[in-house]
Amino acid sequence: MKKPCGIVAILTDFGCNDYYVAAMKGVILDVCRDVEIVDITHSIENFNLYQAAFTLYASHRYFPEGTVFLAVVDPGVGSSRMAILIVSKRYYFIGPDNGILTPAAKYDGIEKVYMIENDVYFRKPVSKSFHGRDIFAPVAARIACGLEPFRVGRELDVNKLHNINIELFMEKSDDCVVLKVIYIDRFGNVMLSHNFRNVIETLNVDVGDDVYVYAGGDRILKAKILEVFSHGAPNDLILYENSLQLAELAVNLGSAKSLLSVNNDDSIRICKYGY
Amino acid sequence: MKKPCGIVAILTDFGCNDYYVAAMKGVILDVCRDVEIVDITHSIENFNLYQAAFTLYASHRYFPEGTVFLAVVDPGVGSSRMAILIVSKRYYFIGPDNGILTPAAKYDGIEKVYMIENDVYFRKPVSKSFHGRDIFAPVAARIACGLEPFRVGRELDVNKLHNINIELFMEKSDDCVVLKVIYIDRFGNVMLSHNFRNVIETLNVDVGDDVYVYAGGDRILKAKILEVFSHGAPNDLILYENSLQLAELAVNLGSAKSLLSVNNDDSIRICKYGY
Amino acid sequence: MKKPCGIVAILTDFGCNDYYVAAMKGVILDVCRDVEIVDITHSIENFNLYQAAFTLYASHRYFPEGTVFLAVVDPGVGSSRMAILIVSKRYYFIGPDNGILTPAAKYDGIEKVYMIENDVYFRKPVSKSFHGRDIFAPVAARIACGLEPFRVGRELDVNKLHNINIELFMEKSDDCVVLKVIYIDRFGNVMLSHNFRNVIETLNVDVGDDVYVYAGGDRILKAKILEVFSHGAPNDLILYENSLQLAELAVNLGSAKSLLSVNNDDSIRICKYGY
């Protein structure tokens, strides 16, 4: 049975310029001086629930057992959306019930879900617009320091949780597959919606082969399948297995995003033959 | 009587790209390995004393008793401006005497002010241009680890402290009030210069009513008074009580700053009736 | 003989938006819960090895003895470039062998270099594209928590280390010196490639004098030699000794970079007389 390890890892869309993140950290340390705070990121785009869900999904799994994840991207603050605590196999997730916690918690294996409603654990007065400071931060600090989860409120049926789909997606047609762009990172690397291994097996190609990439318009771009982008020549477009085992397009020492002119959720067709 | 709690919370305009913040953190940990460092922000606009003062004023109050606040926005470094330590009811504030510490320290209740002049506690050699590293950081670390405040230098008359006004301001005329923009956050929410409750009582309006907003030019915008922005329809302009109890204008899922075309210190007139 | 002090200080070009930095921190804390993580910066320009080397060189020296520096700017990840651990007089440096560690380690005094090759200390499976998470972070955590350096792999001849030159450079001609721009900070301060004291002795000028600055094109700008930029009038161009003892050009309350239109590695000529 896991125990809290004293870490609270925070993800928000509050940026690093305003007083919001500092206020949350102050509250956490005031509630329990022993908490160790780790920033996941505060640069989620304003209100971008998908990006929040994806970043938590991708990063949570590396943290020690017993970490409390505190995620606040919360356009519905003050409305009827619930505040929740999800207890998963190895972790605790705290935030609004708008789907941002669900993909990570499902990946780890959800055990219980609680509604956060016992206001004895809140900071008073509770504002209408900053539950990150007044509800989520103090409850996260208490859970990290040993409060039993059931004390925060009644259990919620796991099937009632809001969810955001971070699903594997691949459509096959003739000698091509269609994939979605699921994330673009700082380097302009374009992460695609299925495992690299499945993509190349479906296309019946292998490392060393070329494939043909259609990302909208009439352009067809040739991409080399390599083990990693650094094996390509500068400015080569590379298809490879990224650090989450997904198919990813990158340009060695350049930006695949710029080359392909794509954005999140765009479709990309990859074919064995170019016509 | 408070004791230092081992936390040093840092606010600067050094950004996160250069070596300055890391140098300060290195010095702090080298002076006292037990300090826990918390970043408030390093993204204060270059030399913007008002923004520094406001952010410290808004955030300090959530930290545990005994926190040491280290604020370095210091265009006068190397000139005759003094280095000071303010001991307040619950906290310690360290930085240049240019007003950035004063609003927060006053809010908490100033007990004593000391000039930081005892160079036995400085890092040597003391540079002319980086007192954050050579004077403020090592003194903050020592205070956080138990140095008695009077050891840093002679006492200073509290009336001699520089100050930056973060004052409540509201002017009434007929059925209108004039307020100042005191802060605009990442979401484009526009924080105004008086308590929400006083504003709506002065206008004799209440939650659920509409008011009329003049922010320059000929445009009049209707704003709904709601408990929180999420109660509005998307793109509605909302007047509500923010997390510091101040009146604030926001656009649900949008930016009030963009809609109103306002900046810090601009005047905004809010009226009960639109003409 | 130094011992690890439990601090891992991290420098990357991963930015603060993506999941990469959080993954590394999660791995570090999972390997050794007692590590204290300090961010140097994650805003190194993509693949900018020089900027990484300079920032580590400038910042490492302020940290406590026994700090482990973990630097990951790694365009060659997955290629044949080696992973290395440098043990210096006071510190440990971990990262790719592409030169980014070498100037800092040399400054401190290199004692031993090891190839990181013992995969018992790696996170499995080891990806091809994210050695920061799978190799460098877990090894840094183990070194910080007491693993003996020789256990990571065979010793490497220090002369085989890749290096990046951060050299003092100054060329004298008549009554002028030519220097290089080696760094430009957030304030637009322009750091030059030699010690301030040597520059003014070579020019036979002193604090209080004027010099003449040629930064390309036909323009000649007069700069005052002062002890620190704050002694200048607003918008004055100032030549002074920066916090690393180097010559630096700044504009009081403005940007020397904008005034001079210079970039890293540009040449600047400074003369005793203007013609």
Side-chain angles (χ1 to χ4, degrees), chain A residues 20-88:
Chain A
Y20 305 122
V21 172
M24 287 175 65
K25 292 183 178 177
V27 167
I28 288 169
L29 293 166
D30 195 33
V31 166
C32 181
R33 180 65 187 78
D34 296 330
V35 168
E36 182 167 350
I37 296 171
V38 180
D39 296 304
I40 296 177
T41 182
H42 302 291
S43 304
I44 299 295
E45 284 175 27
N46 295 351
F47 321 129
N48 189 331
L49 302 181
Y50 175 84
Q51 194 189 353
F54 179 82
T55 304
L56 189 61
Y57 166 81
S59 62
H60 80 281
R61 54 187 89 167
Y62 305 104
F63 279 81
E65 184 165 296
T67 296
V68 176
F69 294 96
L70 168 55
V72 187
V73 177
D74 193 12
V77 62
S79 71
S80 60
R81 71 98 187 89
M82 279 187 295
I84 53 170
L85 161 61
I86 306 179
V87 182
S88 70

Side-chain angles (χ1 to χ4, degrees), chain C residues 3 64 68 93 114 150 241:
Chain C
K3 283 186 192 168
V68 176
F93 296 89
Y114 298 95
F150 73 86
E241 180 176 44

Side-chain angles (χ1 to χ4, degrees), chain B residues 9-12 52 56 69-74 93-96 100-101 136:
Chain B
I10 314 182
L11 176 150
T12 76
L56 189 61
F69 294 96
L70 168 55
V72 187
V73 177
D74 193 12
F93 296 89
I94 288 172
I100 61 176
L101 309 176
F136 299 124

Side-chain angles (χ1 to χ4, degrees), chain C residues 4 13 21 62 65 82 139 143 167 219 261 269:
Chain C
D13 64 349
V21 172
Y62 305 104
E65 184 165 297
M82 279 187 295
V139 169
I143 294 291
E167 294 293 334
R219 283 203 312 166
S261 298
R269 193 149 59 101

Side-chain angles (χ1 to χ4, degrees), chain A residues 41 62 183 185-186 230 243, chain C residues 13 16 18-20 77 133:
Chain A
T41 182
Y62 305 104
Y183 194 83
D185 73 11
R186 184 193 200 205
S230 65
S243 59
Chain C
D13 64 349
C16 295
D18 300 324
Y19 93 96
Y20 304 122
V77 62
R133 178 192 67 191

Side-chain angles (χ1 to χ4, degrees), chain A residues 5-7 34-36 38-44 51 54-55 58-59 62-65 90 183-189 191 227-231 240-245 248 251-254, chain C residues 12-31 33-37 39 42-47 74-80 123 125 127-130 133-134:
Chain A
C5 69
I7 294 174
D34 296 330
V35 168
E36 182 167 350
V38 180
D39 296 304
I40 296 177
T41 182
H42 302 291
S43 304
I44 299 295
Q51 194 189 353
F54 179 82
T55 304
S59 62
Y62 305 104
F63 279 81
E65 184 165 296
R90 305 178 68 222
Y183 194 83
I184 299 174
D185 73 11
R186 184 193 200 205
F187 300 96
N189 297 343
M191 202 181 291
E227 290 202 318
V228 61
F229 49 79
S230 65
H231 291 183
Y240 70 110
E241 180 176 46
N242 80 2
S243 59
L244 296 168
Q245 277 95 52
E248 186 163 292
V251 169
N252 189 22
L253 299 173
Chain C
T12 76
D13 64 349
F14 293 153
C16 295
N17 295 19
D18 300 324
Y19 93 96
Y20 304 122
V21 172
M24 287 175 64
K25 292 183 179 179
V27 167
I28 288 169
L29 293 166
D30 195 34
V31 165
R33 179 65 187 78
D34 297 330
V35 168
E36 182 167 349
I37 297 170
D39 296 304
H42 301 291
S43 304
I44 299 295
E45 284 174 27
N46 296 351
F47 321 129
D74 193 12
V77 62
S79 72
S80 60
R123 188 190 157 274
S127 67
K128 295 280 185 188
S129 61
F130 194 5
R133 178 192 67 191
D134 300 334

Side-chain angles (χ1 to χ4, degrees), chain C residues 104-147:
Chain C
K106 275 189 172 174
Y107 181 90
D108 193 54
I110 296 179
E111 295 190 336
K112 298 260 190 191
V113 184
Y114 298 95
M115 296 176 274
I116 299 176
E117 47 188 11
N118 187 348
D119 68 9
V120 70
Y121 303 119
F122 299 173
R123 188 190 157 274
K124 312 283 175 4
V126 175
S127 67
K128 295 280 185 188
S129 61
F130 194 5
H131 290 183
R133 178 192 67 191
D134 300 334
I135 296 179
F136 299 124
V139 169
R142 286 182 203 275
I143 294 291
C145 289
L147 183 74

